Amino acid sequence: MAYSSFVLVPLALSLSTALYLLYGLLVNYNAARKTGLPLIVLPVDCGNPLWLIIDRKIVQFVRRIPFGSGTFTRFNWRGWEIWDRYRAHQEIGDAILLVTPGKNYLQLCDADAVSDIFQRRADFLRPPEATASSFNEHVNQRVWVESILQTTSLIEYWSSKSSINSVATDTRTVSLHVMSGAVFGKSYPFRGAEDIPSTKEDSSSYGEALRIILDRCIPLVVLGRKNLSKSWLPNSFRELYQATLVFQEHMTEAYEVEKQAMMRNDKLENNLMTSLVRASLANIDEKGNTTASRQEGLTEEEVYGNVFVFNFAGHDATANSLAIGICLLATRPDIQDWIAEEINAVLAGVESKESSYEATFPHLPRCLAVVFETVRLYTAVAIAKSTGANPQPLKLGGHDVLIPKNTVIIPNYSALHTHPRYWGPNSLDFEPSRWITSDPPNSQQTSPSYPTEHFKEPATRNSPFVGWSGGARSCPGRKFAQVEFVGVLVGLFRDSRVKPVPVKGENDAMARGRLLEQIRRDTGMRLLLQMLHPERAVLVWSKR
């Protein structure tokens, strides 16, 4: 009897789960079918937290099975869009509905429709986001100074090595220190991957905590912070829990220091925490207590939430983009020379560390073009929208389509950014010059060898480029990321160049081709887009 119960209970639970999932799939399929859009039916909800942990391993296993290739292995895993690029939309259509037991997911490669969705903020909802009011030109100046300072030490470190395979680790350190300076007003010296001391200092306690959180963020999302402390969970989960406590403590201390200084009318630095505290003071009375009203400013919890978003998106996304961008430049010595020409023409004898954001950044369109081209090909963060509780009309291909309620809408960044319809026959190539326009030569031109050039900003509406989201509320940290990226390019490429280290039997051209193929095949999604095995990219730096 006991044996029967041992067998029947799991069997009954499995059957109940299967029936529940089948019911959800049928309901979602029926709703999707009414749209008249092309449908792809998938057995697993793409957004299921457990599936996000195991999807790649399951898909890789199924691919080894005879006849294992199909819609499941093509579309039912995280980051399939990066590998597929625009091909699915070219084969099936600009709008594709992925039908799963949990939700329906609308994949879009239609610039007009995506622009419409981003403009209609009340109809198509997006996750909570950081406030944009704290990003200002004073903060950008701090970002510029920290980026140049960190990169000056970075290029000294890389140039001292016969080769380096720590691009991702070192750019993460740079980005972390830039973030620390811009958010908390604390500047730390750069240390390379091989030079990090074993003893932890104040900077490494904050930095190490943030590193652990970013590296292991999926368990944090799936289980929640409080559940990570359970004694029966692996030590790595409890270490993650401790990291969240350290990070919270650091934020609390920084918040209180800034708040008390501001209430004493002390002179404060211009950093993000100062701006956020200023935004929160509308909720604080003259005794320093939080008031009941929250109509005018941010609550303390909202300040902490914004700081975490800044650190997560601003640090990890930018660090990942920097690593990919540097590797892409290593495959293109001509583009390295192109941006070095611009940097030296603009700085004209001024030391990089003495340059200012206001006098330098606006005059570096080629460097900014490298940023945009890197993000075009490898967008670190993709923003999804939702129809919410009500169905929403959407014009697709000249026809009005009613998108069912609770449909997740995913602008397919990878397809939009590489479709030949928008970007021409070289849409998959790394070509920053596509973002540049030049004035015709004239007699007033001061430097005949260096033309007057302008950066081609993407249109605010109906643009196929949505690298920092779109609409009236684009990514609030967009300028922050651009300033940091350009500052790093100035520090690295003004006087130096980089190339991949050839393996036995390779010449330089073959090594560049191998690295380019590695970037293409090895870049994928964890929680954000990144190179999955960046240590395989072995580079060497030299003076110009």
Side-chain angles (χ1 to χ4, degrees), residues 153-164 194-195 541:
S153 299
L154 172 66
I155 193 58
E156 290 176 359
Y157 170 75
W158 279 350
S159 298
S160 70
K161 307 291 182 181
S162 58
S163 65
I164 57 108
E194 296 178 7
D195 296 343
W541 289 81

Side-chain angles (χ1 to χ4, degrees), residues 210 214 220 223 272 339 449 508:
L210 182 58
L214 297 174
L220 179 60
L223 298 176
L272 280 170
I339 62 173
S449 62
D508 285 347

Side-chain angles (χ1 to χ4, degrees), residues 28-49:
N28 290 338
Y29 177 80
N30 185 56
R33 183 176 55 84
K34 296 175 181 177
T35 64
L37 297 174
L39 308 182
I40 295 175
V41 179
L42 302 174
V44 185
D45 185 349
C46 311
N48 183 299

Side-chain angles (χ1 to χ4, degrees), residues 493-521:
F493 292 99
R494 183 181 189 183
D495 300 312
S496 302
R497 55 167 53 95
V498 63
K499 68 176 184 176
V501 176
V503 299
K504 187 176 180 180
E506 283 186 340
N507 57 31
D508 285 347
M510 295 166 66
R512 291 194 295 269
R514 173 176 51 81
L515 176 58
L516 189 61
E517 181 65 10
Q518 179 192 334
I519 298 168
R520 188 185 71 82
R521 298 183 67 86

Side-chain angles (χ1 to χ4, degrees), residues 143-160 170 173-175 177-178 188-192 343 347 350-355 484-496 541 543:
V143 172
W144 179 264
V145 170
E146 286 291 337
S147 299
I148 297 292
L149 180 66
Q150 294 294 321
T151 312
T152 300
S153 299
L154 172 66
I155 193 58
E156 290 176 359
Y157 170 75
W158 279 350
S159 298
S160 70
D170 292 333
T173 300
V174 167
S175 190
H177 288 180
V178 171
Y188 298 110
F190 171 82
R191 288 186 175 89
I343 294 166
L347 291 181
V350 177
E351 290 292 328
S352 300
K353 289 191 288 188
E354 296 176 2
S355 65
E484 179 180 346
F485 203 137
V486 169
V488 170
L489 293 179
V490 169
L492 291 181
F493 292 99
R494 183 181 189 183
D495 300 312
S496 302
W541 289 81
K543 287 289 185 181

Side-chain angles (χ1 to χ4, degrees), residues 109-177:
C109 180
D110 182 323
D112 294 340
V114 168
S115 177
D116 186 26
I117 288 168
F118 279 130
Q119 296 294 328
R120 293 164 56 189
R121 289 161 39 194
D123 296 336
F124 297 98
L125 311 178
R126 64 186 291 176
E129 58 190 16
T131 176
S133 60
S134 300
F135 291 92
N136 54 54
E137 294 296 86
H138 295 296
V139 171
N140 289 335
Q141 170 63 21
R142 184 62 187 260
V143 172
W144 179 264
V145 170
E146 286 291 337
S147 299
I148 297 292
L149 180 66
Q150 294 294 321
T151 312
T152 300
S153 299
L154 172 66
I155 193 58
E156 290 176 359
Y157 170 75
W158 279 350
S159 298
S160 70
K161 307 291 182 181
S162 58
S163 65
I164 57 108
N165 68 344
S166 56
V167 171
T169 303
D170 292 333
T171 53
R172 175 173 279 197
T173 300
V174 167
S175 190
L176 175 66
H177 288 180

Side-chain angles (χ1 to χ4, degrees), residues 239-346:
E239 187 180 40
L240 174 58
Y241 174 71
Q242 290 299 321
T244 64
L245 296 181
V246 170
F247 188 76
Q248 176 76 27
E249 181 181 351
H250 191 90
M251 286 196 298
T252 302
E253 179 185 356
Y255 174 81
E256 288 299 325
V257 168
E258 293 286 346
K259 185 180 75 173
Q260 295 303 323
M262 192 169 294
M263 295 184 72
R264 293 193 304 268
N265 293 319
D266 292 350
K267 185 178 180 180
L268 299 173
E269 293 189 44
N270 288 299
N271 57 62
L272 280 170
M273 180 60 84
T274 303
S275 299
L276 289 169
V277 171
R278 188 176 290 113
S280 76
L281 284 182
N283 290 332
I284 300 174
D285 61 25
E286 64 277 5
K287 295 181 180 180
N289 300 315
T290 302
T291 63
S293 171
R294 59 177 309 279
Q295 299 300 314
E296 298 177 0
L298 298 174
T299 66
E300 185 172 336
E301 285 301 314
E302 287 171 333
V303 170
Y304 295 151
N306 273 275
V307 171
F308 182 76
V309 170
F310 296 154
N311 278 271
F312 178 71
H315 163 259
D316 221 33
T318 305
N320 294 340
S321 295
L322 278 170
I324 294 172
I326 290 169
C327 289
L328 286 170
L329 285 166
T331 71
R332 294 292 301 270
D334 57 324
I335 298 176
Q336 294 181 51
D337 293 340
W338 185 63
I339 62 173
E341 178 187 40
E342 174 183 76
I343 294 166
N344 284 291
V346 171

